[in-house]
Amino acid sequence: MSEYLMLPLAALPFPNIDPVIVQIGPLAVHWYGVGYIVGILFAWWYAKRLVTNAKLWPDGTVPMKPEDLDDFIVWAAIGVVLGGRTGYVLFYDLPRYIAQPFDILAVWQGGMSFHGGLLGVVLAMTLFSWSRGIRTWSLFDVVAAGVPVGLGLVRVANFINSELWGRPTDVPWAVEFPNGGPFARHPSQLYEALLEGLVLFLVLRFLTHSRLKLKTPRFVGGAFIAGYGLSRIFVEFFREPDQQLGYLLGTSWLTMGMVLSLPMLLAGIWAMATAKPVTQPQPV
């Protein structure tokens, strides 16, 4: 590790943006929380745009109404928060929360899992679509199409918070994080913001508007989970593993993020490979 000790001399300086946007007394607004809120609102707005564009759907028959999405946003928010927190507790730091169970409620201390949040939203979508008689995969498609924007914003917030940084490196764009030790590190949060956020959003936009894949239920949703899984596995090679877990199975490269993302990649490939276009109008 000695070769890394001199790296901070050539590293890019950390911007030191205050993680708190504004604070009034004990109430504080953080970039991290704003990322979640803006991401959820954008996905809701974008999904409504998709369901009001009849040209994107088979025979112009839209499988849900914009008002359905107005109601679903509450379900989605609950699924994200409960699923994300539960996933973090179970996947990343279970011994700590067994010893200190009340810390599970301390969400302001951080600790959210994308994979848990995804499971929470999938459960919410399934229950909501059944209650409304909506085709579940079509709901998944329209929701997934806008989610990458929120993912990108939250990863930028991770960078601002100086958390989830990357492994030591000597690349020219390495960053010296204030709590990252005496090493210059990959800004892996920004890699994720680029791949899981901007790139994935543009890919899904191409599929919905150029390839008209909303006419093939579960293709867009499959592309989302496969794209996220692939992006996350790739970035995990540059990201420092969680301290309480480290590398898995005695390796120097396998991380929990990879383990959780591989099933997503496989499931997404399956969803795209088996998706079939709707040939006749479906009941709303």
Side-chain angles (χ1 to χ4, degrees):
M1 296 292 289
S2 60
E3 67 269 23
Y4 292 124
L5 295 179
M6 297 300 293
L7 291 179
L9 298 176
L12 297 176
F14 185 74
N16 280 324
I17 301 172
D18 193 336
V20 178
I21 302 174
V22 63
Q23 183 162 0
I24 303 175
L27 301 178
V29 179
H30 294 77
W31 289 107
Y32 187 76
V34 169
Y36 268 99
I37 293 171
V38 173
I40 291 172
L41 291 177
F42 177 85
W44 164 66
W45 171 82
Y46 191 69
K48 291 184 68 172
R49 297 273 296 181
L50 293 178
V51 301
T52 54
N53 188 346
K55 294 184 297 183
L56 302 178
W57 299 93
D59 298 319
T61 303
V62 181
M64 69 200 77
K65 300 184 290 292
E67 293 77 13
D68 292 321
L69 295 170
D70 292 339
D71 296 335
F72 177 68
I73 188 174
V74 178
W75 293 57
I78 294 173
V80 167
V81 174
L82 292 184
R85 186 60 171 172
T86 302
Y88 182 81
V89 170
L90 294 178
F91 301 148
Y92 288 97
D93 213 355
L94 184 58
R96 171 196 166 189
Y97 291 107
I98 290 177
Q100 304 176 61
F102 288 107
D103 282 357
I104 295 174
L105 303 177
V107 293
W108 56 88
Q109 296 178 0
M112 295 284 282
S113 162
F114 167 80
H115 301 89
L118 175 65
L119 292 175
V121 173
V122 168
L123 177 60
M125 284 191 292
T126 302
L127 296 176
F128 182 83
S129 62
W130 286 352
S131 70
R132 295 294 179 94
I134 296 171
R135 194 164 50 231
T136 303
W137 279 113
S138 290
L139 179 60
F140 191 11
D141 290 340
V142 298
V143 171
V147 166
V149 170
L151 295 180
L153 292 175
V154 170
R155 292 310 183 193
V156 171
N158 290 144
F159 179 81
I160 292 173
N161 289 347
S162 185
E163 60 189 4
L164 306 183
W165 19 254
R167 306 180 192 186
T169 183
D170 59 355
V171 296
W173 56 88
V175 175
E176 184 182 0
F177 290 94
N179 57 344
F183 313 123
R185 296 180 177 274
H186 283 287
S188 56
Q189 314 97 321
L190 301 184
Y191 301 170
E192 291 190 74
L194 177 64
L195 293 177
E196 302 166 10
L198 179 61
V199 172
L200 187 53
F201 174 75
L202 293 177
V203 169
L204 298 181
R205 173 80 180 185
F206 173 76
L207 292 176
T208 56
H209 287 72
S210 296
R211 304 300 298 173
L212 300 178
K213 286 299 184 178
L214 289 175
K215 298 182 179 183
T216 306
R218 82 165 168 256
F219 192 96
V220 174
F224 166 72
I225 58 177
Y228 178 89
L230 181 62
S231 299
R232 180 67 181 269
I233 290 171
F234 174 75
V235 174
E236 285 287 320
F237 284 102
F238 304 95
R239 176 174 162 174
E240 187 82 4
D242 293 83
Q243 183 177 8
Q244 69 274 16
L245 294 177
Y247 296 108
L248 305 181
L249 302 179
T251 69
S252 60
W253 58 272
L254 183 65
T255 67
M256 179 61 77
M258 294 178 182
V259 171
L260 296 175
S261 297
L262 180 58
M264 290 184 62
L265 175 59
L266 298 177
I269 293 173
W270 168 84
M272 290 187 290
T274 59
K276 299 183 183 301
V278 174
T279 56
Q280 295 180 352
Q282 300 291 313
V284 177

